[in-house]
Amino acid sequence: MSELRALLADTTERVLARAPGWAQVEEAGLAKVLVPESEGGFGGNWEDALIVIRACGYHAVDLPLPEAILESSGAKDKALFAAMMLAAKMAGALQAALDLSVEYTRQRQQFGKPLASFQAIQQQLAVFAEETAAANMAVAAAFRAADRDDAWFEIACAKLRANQAARVSTGIAHQVHGAMGFTAEYRLQHLTRRLWKWGSEHGNERFWSDRIGARIAERGPENFWPDLTE
Amino acid sequence: MPGFDFPPFALPPQARALRGEVRAFLKDALADKPSVERARSWSGGSREFSRKLGKQGWIGMTWPKQYGGHERSYAERYVVIEELLVAGAPVGSHWVADRQSGPLLLRFGTEAQRERLLPAIAQGELCFCIGMSEPGAGSDLAAVRTRARRVDGGWKVSGQKIWTSNAQHADWMIALVRTGDAEQKHAGLSQLLVDMKSAGVTVKPIANLTGESHFNEVFLDDVFVPETMLIGAEGDGWRQVGAELAYERSGPERYLSSIRVFLEFLRVVGASPSEAERLLIGEMTARMWTLRQMSLSVVGKLAAGENPAVAAAVVKDLGTSLEQDIPRAVQAMAGPADDAFERTLSYLLQTSPSFSLRGGTREILRGIIARELGLR
């Protein structure tokens, strides 16, 4: 990570971890991550923006920060890029739910030992970690593609993969948390209820599978691999 | 947790240029090869094909020139193996040697071993097999009992290996054996290069459920192995195996094994599939594209000199799940189709259960991931 990007990550974390108001976010300049330096912004690219948007999901911050970044970007296909923003928030929220689940199962004791020591729990959380890694990979690759050229395919795959990961992982998160995760007071529901909502917004699994499937079929088997590796 | 960090990795321009070259070569070399044979992927082997690839300079690509290698980048090697797998090339004869035995010798072997074996591997002349599993040591690999007893000028090796792929064709086995006491569980293990033509080596093929024989029992009865065939230091076997498994688990062969039936499905549904067919194609495409990004990221880690053991476990578990879901989902969705489709599907339905067993079971991989999460 470049020094500048590390600085952005530090600032983002410092501001968003404290349930900020819009004024604090503006003051920190997070909405201007894509705005050129000459115009008082950070002068970053989409990969820089990913750090900020993903952190909104991680910290369950509902401020219109992704929307402000998108507005400043000049991206033409606003609906497509809104799906990319949401996939990034989902990747962040999945990571937060995973961290919470790991922490909880290491503390909670039953049969005289931590839940984390049972293979039945370990194997489920391993799947959760894999799905979270996959969602984060898909999102990172989509944001990188957005800096390059037409990123329709990458963004479509990223939102779909994030939806798939959320479907599998939210179930595991609740299962390993037991009744505690089902309470209004405990933090898990702030993440999982957002993930369920976001799974429907800007394209659920059917929406994106259908479109990707139609495009792949139209191109035919002889182009599948060449297109994927282009 | 660094094991779950997958930074995007873009292939450099020279790797992209190489792709076209490989495609043209394979189009010619594999013309008329039927789909069901392509589906064999790295389970199928041909010495003749391996020699051809060797001549192209596409085996041992990243190794130093002094050992017959080509000093190409990991990214270039990645492109070549991706194209070989997608085309369904018969790479089985040199696959293990190129992927793990060669790199193992390069890293831990003696100078004499490297000079003798690496150039021949790079020419596609040598077939290696992996002597790890035993009747009592599968997932619990450290339980191996095959014993190497010191004698004048070397060792005498006695014991049994099992599930050894390609042993019936192999020139060499790299065998994990016990050189120390059984109480020294890990420290008592070493790796030896066993010449498969040695007296006392008996190979018995085991037919798998398709009726083909890929894996074998290998009986070692007082087999003499010269002193010079010890890899690295005595007692270093466990560490070597750990390094080797990262190579074994991280490649694109862990998510591409079923691509042939996916391509066949695309062929039979044509340009205007039903909605249900589109949904299946879209789901599998997104998973495959994501896995390819992850697999590329692992290449980036290898190129940076890291040991991506945990990342490799993540890719392999997600990848083999995809490889198993594809034939099952395609079967559930497919209408009546032609013989080429049916035979490819039938072959992959039958072989895909092995994908999450070979090279480390799903449960072992998830155990590695759980350890990285701090659960154990």
Side-chain angles (χ1 to χ4, degrees), chain B residues 25 55 100 153 164 198 232 239 260 287:
Chain B
F25 169 82
K55 284 209 177 70
Q100 65 196 90
T164 317
S198 310
R239 187 169 73 95
R260 189 50 49 186
R287 288 170 66 184

Side-chain angles (χ1 to χ4, degrees), chain A residues 144-191:
Chain A
R144 176 168 281 204
D147 279 322
R148 242 184 10 244
D149 46 27
D150 170 34
W152 183 89
F153 177 75
E154 288 84 354
I155 294 173
C157 284
K159 180 61 166 70
L160 176 52
R161 193 65 189 86
N163 288 349
Q164 292 166 344
R167 170 165 50 80
V168 174
S169 300
T170 49
I172 297 173
H174 278 284
Q175 192 61 31
V176 302
H177 268 93
M180 184 59 74
F182 201 63
T183 62
E185 183 185 351
Y186 187 76
R187 186 160 163 260
L188 183 63
Q189 60 102 349
H190 293 283
L191 298 161

Side-chain angles (χ1 to χ4, degrees), chain B residues 224-248:
Chain B
F224 177 72
V225 176
E227 179 86 53
T228 52
M229 290 295 138
L230 171 71
I231 300 174
E234 196 177 326
D236 203 27
W238 188 253
R239 187 169 73 95
Q240 293 172 11
V241 163
E244 201 175 331
L245 286 173
Y247 293 115
E248 184 171 349

Side-chain angles (χ1 to χ4, degrees), chain B residues 119-354:
Chain B
I121 293 175
Q123 285 158 24
E125 296 288 347
L126 290 183
C127 179
F128 273 65
C129 64
I130 307 164
M132 291 191 194
S133 295
E134 295 185 5
S139 288
D140 182 12
L141 187 57
V144 299
R145 288 171 58 189
T146 295
R147 168 155 292 284
R149 182 167 52 81
R150 273 213 178 265
V151 293
D152 235 16
W155 282 270
K156 286 273 190 165
V157 181
S158 285
Q160 185 193 345
K161 296 290 173 182
I162 195 168
W163 319 127
T164 317
S165 294
N166 266 333
Q168 73 271 50
H169 308 300
D171 305 295
W172 293 90
M173 170 192 276
I174 293 184
L176 183 66
V177 299
R178 195 158 286 289
T179 45
D181 300 329
E183 302 87 71
Q184 300 176 267
K185 214 174 175 189
H186 294 133
L189 296 171
S190 305
Q191 292 210 99
L192 294 175
L193 278 155
V194 179
D195 184 339
M196 293 298 278
K197 289 183 290 296
S198 310
V201 176
T202 310
V203 178
K204 288 192 179 167
I206 304 170
N208 68 27
L209 53 74
T210 69
E212 297 178 329
S213 297
H214 295 297
F215 50 30
N216 301 268
E217 290 180 287
V218 180
F219 298 92
L220 302 156
D221 182 15
D222 250 353
V223 177
F224 177 72
V225 176
E227 179 86 53
T228 52
M229 290 295 138
L230 171 71
I231 300 174
E234 196 177 326
D236 203 27
W238 188 253
R239 187 169 73 95
Q240 293 172 11
V241 163
E244 201 175 331
L245 286 173
Y247 293 115
E248 184 171 349
R249 288 171 179 159
S250 62
E253 71 265 37
R254 302 306 183 181
Y255 74 93
L256 287 172
S257 304
S258 292
I259 192 169
R260 189 50 49 186
V261 74
F262 187 68
L263 295 173
E264 281 290 298
F265 184 67
L266 288 179
R267 179 178 66 77
V268 298
V269 301
S272 311
S274 70
E275 188 195 19
E277 289 163 344
R278 292 197 299 274
L279 297 186
L280 190 159
I281 296 166
E283 179 203 330
M284 298 305 173
T285 299
R287 288 170 66 184
M288 201 183 300
W289 171 79
T290 304
L291 272 159
R292 180 163 185 269
Q293 301 304 316
M294 297 177 94
S295 192
L296 279 166
S297 180
V298 172
V299 178
K301 287 171 189 257
L302 283 171
E306 296 172 38
N307 178 3
V310 177
V314 170
V315 174
K316 183 175 184 287
D317 190 27
L318 283 170
T320 54
S321 296
L322 174 67
E323 290 176 336
Q324 292 176 340
D325 287 349
I326 286 175
R328 292 167 192 168
V330 163
Q331 181 189 38
M333 189 62 62
D338 57 23
D339 193 50
F341 172 83
E342 294 294 347
R343 289 183 63 198
T344 306
L345 174 60
S346 152
Y347 177 78
L348 282 165
L349 277 173
Q350 293 177 73
T351 52
S352 57
S354 70

